Amino acid sequence: MPRFVMKFSKEGYTKYVSHLDLLRVFKRAFKVMGLDIKYSQGFNPHPKMGFAQPLSLGYSSIAEYLEFETVKDHDPEEIKELFKGKLPEDVKILDLFSFNDEVRSLAAETVACRYLISMPTELDEASVKDILEGYLSQKSIKAFKRMKKTKTREEVEIRDKIREIRVAKDDGKAVFDCLLDSGSQSNLSPELVISSFLEYSGWDLKRWDIEVERTEILYSNRIQFRHIDKTP
Amino acid sequence: MNIDIKKQLDKLLKRVEKPGRYIGGEVNSVMKDPSKMDVNFCFCFPDIYEIGMSYLGLQILYKMLNDQPNVYCQRAFQPQNDMEELMREEGMPLFSLEQKTLLKDMDMVGFTLQYEMSYTTVLNMIDLAGIPIFSKDRGEDIPLVLAGGPCAYDPEPLWEFVDCFLIGDGEKLLPEFTGLYAEMKSKGATREEFLKEAVKLQGVYVPAFYDVKYNEDGTISELCKLYKGAPDKVKRAILPEIESLDFPVEPIIPMVEAVHDRAVVETFRGCTRGCRFCQAGMIYRPVRERTREHVIELALKELENTGHEELSLLSLSTSDHTEFEAMALDLVDCTKSRQVSLSLPSLRIDKFAFNVLQRIQEFRKSGLTYAPEAGTQRLRDVINKGVTENDIYTSVRQALELGWNHIKLYFMIGLPTETYEDLDGIVEIAKNIRDLNYEINGKKGGRFKLTVSVSNFVPKADTPFQWEAQDTAESFRLKHNYLAERLKDKRIIFNYHDNETSSYEAVFARGDRRTSRLLYEAWKLGCKLDGWSEHYRPDLWEQAFINSGIDRDFYTTRKRSFDEIFAWDHIDCLVTKEFLMKEAQKAYEAQITHDCRYGCVGCGINREVKCEKGGIYHA
């Protein structure tokens, strides 16, 4: 079955469109474009499509991935053309290509994600770097996680799930470039990095003063396409 | 576009539920530069986004206004409580979804009045926008506050808050209105100068140009004009036909799921049945149809453009379209091949409808709804609901035999001349249908379910029942209990409406200018979104009655005499008061008036426009 991957951005106000709502936006767009998306069998057929990783409400992104299957084969450029004018303004297609890797899904192959976390601060870059170094040098970093099933808050260890964090100052903000485990094997939400960092640093910030943007999704070696990725 | 507003908004949106409701940017929403427009208009729906975006009228007027190159129509809705609290806390006034323009910076903001229980929300949105709540306090640089829609046929409860009402078909009146505004604005006209010119357009009502005097008993003694150029009676704006009208086949497609997430085509406007309780059946006359070919063409275009998976037809009585059966069967074929489901609301379930329904629901049979409205033939004749018990049983029998297993029945209680015998009639119909099912589906009855929904009768302006008394809350309560006791059956689900809500609705449905004080007090105390059970505060409404000194019974349970002057007498819906009176008298004699397709019944509408469907059947 012909399979495709579309890389897109979700910026501006569309960061407030939820994961499920965005799926519906795409489902509609496919219908309007008249693209022969493959549907699942069964009583309530649904289109065969899915995101690599859900993006939290309120996060922007320049690296979202949607995979989908069609009935007949198509030129990716042709599909890109069909999409014109069918998506909300702040959702932009960055790349669209055939997907031939022998894997079950992008979601199953996701291993890590890169995020930019911006926090307003008066401190200079050197001081922020010191604080970050101290934060990362802890043997153990604990954070509270709200458990989906029990709805309780549980303390979890996150240090081993942080692959790398670097920081730079930009226009009154400390911008943390974080590479975090992501996917079914090991997963870390940027929210836990934010809460544990605020607690460690003692910075008095409200959650809504902080911006998060996803800039990259890393996949396992079984996925080839990231090597041909044309976007920065 | 204001950068500060956008920054501020960004912080608020991170803290509220479903922020997608406040961002705009949907496919097919219109982007223009407000600074280059002659008229900046904000269409306001006094409820939350998910409700407002399900309303076809919004899409129609949005398109029509934005098709004019010098007009920009944006949208605003009532935010949910969490958002409103933050907006008030942070000093952020109500803004439009498209450009985040503050409503107070626009030329006009227009509310649609679909139900009386939205009035407090109208006040709340005006206030949240930072616009002075009272019309008299608004200066030259404040937008005009407009209102229209079915409830505007008795505009008086809102007279202090709305500068100008637009009565009748918006597609006709709004372009005339915005055109005049653009012209006069360029000449530097004042608010008052504009309004004085605007009342020359058919359908424009400016409350400030009129005054009301009262008798000692509280009834109205005189409606008089304060500006002699204003019309004695404001005639509703009316389109002679709708076939040639543009239709929004590229509607805005919400990203946050709206209540009705589907393609809709209006098949016709108006109704010929003449049910005596029904306001829509009077104020939307005459019947104006789109042809079958046109409806199908619009439906297909809309489905193609939106990717919707459901199509619905809109009118007051779907199966009354002259070419209903052929049209519906065509649509069944078109929708099936596109994996789109077709829904047909407001259906009279007779043999034609059955042919269609059977085709739609060959496999999945959902519920069938019947609206006998009253329990006995006598009372159905009083309200002129031309349906017999035999019609219902024949149809239900057929439905059960064909495999439907959920039947819904709608009734009204508190109708004029109603007795407990009529309530017994409701119980009898329900039980007969239940037994019919046992007869057809055996002793165990299969998976059969019968829902009986009862709503409280609210007398409305411009209907033959506008002189009638509403039942007291106590009487409604007793009647609900009476029915509930008799409808205890594991196969029957009994639903009924809240009594207080119906009485507030009744106050405003026939309210005069004094009821604006009740509205103001209720809003001041914190009432808004009263149609939502989680927001509705009966305790505050009770307090509002006390604070405003409004005598509820005067408006609800008082029977009016035929010579009483009504607060809405200066608004002319084009159906004559004489016709309504004649209908009221026939009601007392339980005499029916036939559907006017079988011959004109003289409602008066044809004085104004050609009535195409009057008498077409020549029975």
Side-chain angles (χ1 to χ4, degrees), chain A residues 46-228:
Chain A
H46 58 269
K48 291 219 170 192
M49 57 185 246
F51 295 124
Q53 281 293 298
L55 186 71
S56 295
L57 195 62
Y59 287 18
S60 52
S61 174
I62 52 166
E64 290 307 288
Y65 293 84
L66 178 81
E67 59 177 303
F68 55 91
E69 291 176 30
T70 57
V71 177
K72 280 180 255 149
D73 203 5
H74 296 269
D75 175 4
E77 287 303 315
E78 171 205 330
I79 301 180
K80 234 166 127 175
E81 199 58 35
L82 287 174
F83 259 117
K84 278 208 174 125
K86 307 294 190 296
L87 293 175
E89 215 186 8
D90 288 328
V91 172
K92 293 207 166 62
I93 301 177
L94 303 175
D95 206 352
L96 202 153
F97 46 87
S98 298
F99 180 38
N100 302 314
D101 297 339
E102 303 262 321
V103 294
R104 197 158 49 86
S105 68
L106 282 182
E109 303 303 321
T110 301
V111 293
C113 290
R114 190 178 289 282
Y115 298 93
L116 293 181
I117 302 176
S118 310
M119 303 188 183
T121 175
E122 308 275 286
L123 299 174
D124 63 16
E125 192 167 281
S127 321
V128 177
K129 278 187 169 155
D130 279 349
I131 298 171
L132 176 63
E133 206 170 299
Y135 169 75
L136 288 174
S137 66
Q138 302 172 92
K139 281 210 179 65
S140 160
I141 300 178
K142 301 274 202 220
F144 282 102
K145 184 179 178 186
R146 194 180 291 277
M147 307 309 273
K148 262 193 194 137
K149 274 186 190 149
T150 56
K151 299 249 162 86
T152 54
R153 269 158 56 88
E154 269 177 41
E155 207 178 44
V156 291
E157 174 60 49
I158 66 167
R159 180 62 191 89
D160 56 332
K161 297 178 177 181
I162 300 175
R163 298 191 172 192
E164 160 192 281
I165 303 182
R166 284 175 301 179
V167 73
K169 272 283 312 248
D170 178 33
D171 191 25
K173 284 180 192 144
V175 181
F176 297 89
D177 188 334
C178 315
L179 187 61
L180 312 176
D181 277 2
S182 188
S184 52
Q185 295 293 319
S186 170
N187 191 69
L188 174 57
S189 156
E191 292 304 310
L192 302 189
V193 176
I194 292 170
S195 61
S196 60
F197 180 81
L198 289 182
E199 201 187 311
Y200 174 81
S201 63
W203 289 7
D204 183 20
L205 290 177
K206 300 282 189 230
R207 176 60 190 86
W208 52 87
D209 293 325
I210 300 168
E211 293 286 339
V212 185
E213 179 181 51
R214 179 144 70 197
T215 54
E216 198 178 1
I217 295 181
L218 300 185
Y219 301 101
S220 77
N221 292 330
R222 285 182 291 275
I223 302 281
Q224 302 300 315
F225 66 71
R226 68 199 140 105
H227 305 301
I228 57 159

Side-chain angles (χ1 to χ4, degrees), chain B residues 402-428:
Chain B
L402 289 167
W404 269 278
N405 53 32
H406 187 188
I407 307 287
K408 291 182 236 174
L409 296 175
Y410 283 129
F411 293 98
M412 249 187 272
I413 60 166
L415 288 162
T417 75
E418 180 187 68
T419 67
Y420 275 75
E421 238 170 75
D422 300 302
L423 301 187
D424 291 336
I426 294 177
V427 176
E428 202 185 304

